[in-house]
Amino acid sequence: MENALVIGASGGIGSALVAALEARGVAVTGLSRSRDGLDLTDEASVTRVLGGIEGPFDLVIVASGALEIGGAAPEKTIRAIEARAMMDQFALNAVGPALVLREAGRLLPREGRSVFAVLSARVGSIGDNRIGGWISYRAAKAAVNQIVHTASIELARTHREAVCVALHPGTVETEFTRKYLGRHPAVAPGEAAENLMRVIEGLGPEQTGLFFDWAGKRVEW
């Protein structure tokens, strides 16, 4: 692995991934809204910023996302659904990664192994949902899982050694998740990044289109 592109490089997990890659001697291009004006909720912004960079990259990671947007906390019940809050979740956590995946064919090399990873969340698993709640966030993450799986099928037709996956980083201590941690065990961003890198480094083309957690175990859809 020589070149990597990290989308959301200024966030808690994104910045830790940049550090983990650079420690491995990888040349990293990091993009974010705060530093580069890359707003995944704005199609024109994605087109402009990504159109201004040249690949190919052996690794592309979309680490952008949010649990709470515009002060709207995750819903505890379906009765709390608000259309605007749900649309905001889809715009950032599903449509945004899809816009980046639209460029995958150009960003990844045609020959040789490459990885396109999108950070998802276990709560996006329909089969693993046994407690309800967090409807908008769950639905947006379920949507991005479908987007990744579909993109992997198309990408395999032209990039035979490419791996396109959704990854669950575990519960990570960031500014966005702090007030929702409760008693749940969480890891620091640096540890989460190392966990994710171990998974990424072990992936092969036969695993494209799948959903893995931070330990490399498959997560059901």
Side-chain angles (χ1 to χ4, degrees), residues 8-218:
S10 64
I13 300 178
S15 59
L17 283 166
V18 170
L21 285 161
E22 290 179 339
R24 287 165 167 76
V26 178
V28 182
T29 299
L31 297 175
S32 68
R33 184 174 60 178
S34 60
R35 292 200 302 244
D36 308 284
L38 177 59
D39 182 356
L40 293 192
T41 66
D42 180 352
E43 184 174 5
S45 167
V46 176
T47 300
R48 174 178 56 80
V49 177
L50 292 187
I53 64 172
E54 293 184 7
F57 298 95
D58 306 304
L59 172 64
V60 178
I61 304 178
V62 181
S64 298
L67 177 59
E68 181 178 301
I69 302 174
E75 311 94 348
K76 294 182 179 180
T77 168
I78 193 74
R79 296 187 299 275
I81 285 291
E82 293 181 358
R84 181 70 264 165
M86 178 171 269
M87 293 301 293
D88 287 344
Q89 282 290 332
F90 271 79
L92 179 59
N93 289 318
V95 180
L99 292 174
V100 182
L101 273 163
R102 188 172 64 181
E103 305 293 325
R106 179 180 65 85
L107 295 174
L108 299 176
R110 285 290 187 111
E111 303 294 333
R113 176 184 175 275
S114 60
V115 177
F116 195 114
V118 176
L119 296 195
S120 183
R122 188 181 296 276
V123 295
S125 165
I126 296 173
D128 191 59
N129 182 0
R130 294 174 177 82
I131 62 172
W134 290 28
I135 297 92
S136 295
Y137 184 73
R138 283 185 187 274
K141 289 299 187 180
V144 83
N145 290 344
Q146 177 70 283
I147 290 164
V148 167
H149 183 70
T150 301
S152 75
I153 296 169
E154 298 185 15
L155 191 61
R157 295 170 185 157
T158 54
H159 298 63
R160 296 187 181 277
E161 295 181 68
V163 185
C164 184
V165 293
L167 297 178
H168 167 57
T171 304
V172 185
E173 296 173 350
T174 67
E175 202 58 43
F176 291 110
T177 63
R178 202 173 308 280
K179 65 182 179 180
Y180 298 104
L181 293 178
R183 298 179 181 178
H184 297 287
V187 299
E191 183 177 348
E194 287 297 330
N195 290 337
L196 289 169
M197 286 308 305
R198 280 192 291 272
V199 175
I200 288 168
E201 290 164 349
L203 293 172
E206 68 280 1
Q207 293 162 308
T208 194
L210 301 180
F211 183 16
F212 296 95
D213 71 7
W214 59 271
K217 297 179 181 179
R218 280 193 63 179

